Every structure is written in C-alpha cells, then in structure tokens.
C-alpha cells in the first residue's frame, strides 16, 4: 500500500499514470455497459 501511495503522491508522473489508468478503466466499463444495454432484448 505504501508503494501505491508513493507512486500516486510521490511524483507527478505517477499521479498522471494513475489518472490515465483509472480513466481508461472508466471509459472501457462505460462502453461495455452501453454495449450490454444495446444488445439487451427490448422490455416491451
């Protein structure tokens, strides 16, 4: 855990890389959720 805290707050490069990783995970999960919503059968 100390390694992650040092990586996030120790230097700006680590903080930017963590922001890139988390935003990529968020974008991919949003696209996956949209794909699941579109491929679901209509309710009515």
């Amino acid at each position: 855990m100390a390694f992650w805290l040092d990586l996030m707050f120790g230097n700006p490069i680590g903080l930017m890389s963590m922001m890139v990783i988390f935003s990529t995970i968020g974008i991919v999960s949003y696209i996956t959720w949209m794909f699941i919503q579109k491929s679901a059968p209509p309710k009515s």
Side-chain angles (χ1 to χ4, degrees), residues 11-26:
N11 49 357
I13 305 298
L15 182 61
M16 289 301 291
S17 66
M18 293 301 288
M19 284 174 56
V20 166
I21 288 169
F22 284 126
S23 62
T24 304
I25 289 172

Side-chain angles (χ1 to χ4, degrees), residues 5-37:
L5 286 175
D6 184 47
L7 188 65
M8 286 198 314
F9 304 114
N11 49 357
I13 305 298
L15 182 61
M16 289 301 291
S17 66
M18 293 301 288
M19 284 174 56
V20 166
I21 288 169
F22 284 126
S23 62
T24 304
I25 289 172
I27 290 169
V28 167
S29 61
Y30 177 72
I31 290 173
T32 305
W33 180 76
M34 288 296 290
F35 180 73
I36 289 171
Q37 290 291 103

